[in-house]
Amino acid sequence: MTTPSITLTRLDVQRLERLIDSLDDTLPGVIALQTELDRADTVVGHEEVPADVVTMNSRVHCREEGSGKDYHLTLVYPKDANADEGKISILAPVGSALLGLKVGQHIDWPAPGGKTLKLTLLEVESQPAGGGHFPE
């Protein structure tokens, strides 16, 4: 499995750690998210994050290399997730994997049925300053 270097904002890290603290830390999605937070190479202020890095509430364009299928996804907190609208929870495997990626990087991610998908980040279509709001 490929795990490229990632950049996170301090605000996203703080908000996501609060989210983790509010959940069962034995859930697979929580474990995967904590792993991503722990391996961040760079943590910057939200005003310093490059425009080509995925933060919370970023809308991204990525491609699954095996099928060539393109996806337009928005990385959101669990309560805002809606697969029909392309809003992917940070606790979903692809959600935690996208966090902190930079355009041009790719991730290998296990899919249902034992397959591994390779997703390449093509574009960060929008990135709100500070990664948006944390649902209280």
Side-chain angles (χ1 to χ4, degrees), residues 84-135:
D84 293 339
E85 296 175 6
K87 294 180 178 179
I88 303 302
S89 170
I90 186 65
L91 296 178
V94 72
S96 59
L98 283 171
L99 183 68
L101 279 190
K102 187 175 185 177
V103 169
Q105 289 181 317
H106 67 267
I107 51 170
D108 294 338
W109 206 256
K115 290 191 336 184
T116 298
L117 302 179
K118 180 181 275 190
L119 282 180
T120 300
L121 181 62
L122 301 176
E123 179 184 8
V124 176
E125 297 173 335
S126 68
Q127 177 204 79
H133 72 283
F134 177 74

Side-chain angles (χ1 to χ4, degrees), residues 19-41:
L19 174 66
I20 288 169
D21 288 345
S22 73
L23 298 170
D24 177 350
D25 63 2
T26 64
L27 295 172
V30 174
I31 294 168
L33 176 55
Q34 185 63 63
T35 300
E36 292 299 301
L37 295 181
D38 291 345
R39 73 177 197 82
D41 295 306

Side-chain angles (χ1 to χ4, degrees), residues 38-51:
D38 291 345
R39 73 177 197 82
D41 295 306
T42 309
V43 179
V44 298
H46 65 273
E47 65 286 341
E48 302 168 66
V49 69

Side-chain angles (χ1 to χ4, degrees), residues 7-9 11-13 15-16 19 33 37 49 53-59 74-78 80 88-91 95-96 98-100 126-135:
T7 299
L8 302 177
T9 69
L11 202 52
D12 279 350
V13 170
R15 290 172 173 167
L16 292 170
L19 174 66
L33 176 55
L37 295 181
V49 69
V53 170
V54 180
T55 63
M56 288 304 298
N57 295 303
S58 289
R59 180 163 172 76
T74 303
L75 186 59
V76 299
Y77 292 97
D80 298 320
I88 303 302
S89 170
I90 186 65
L91 296 178
S96 59
L98 283 171
L99 183 68
S126 68
Q127 177 204 79
H133 72 283
F134 177 74

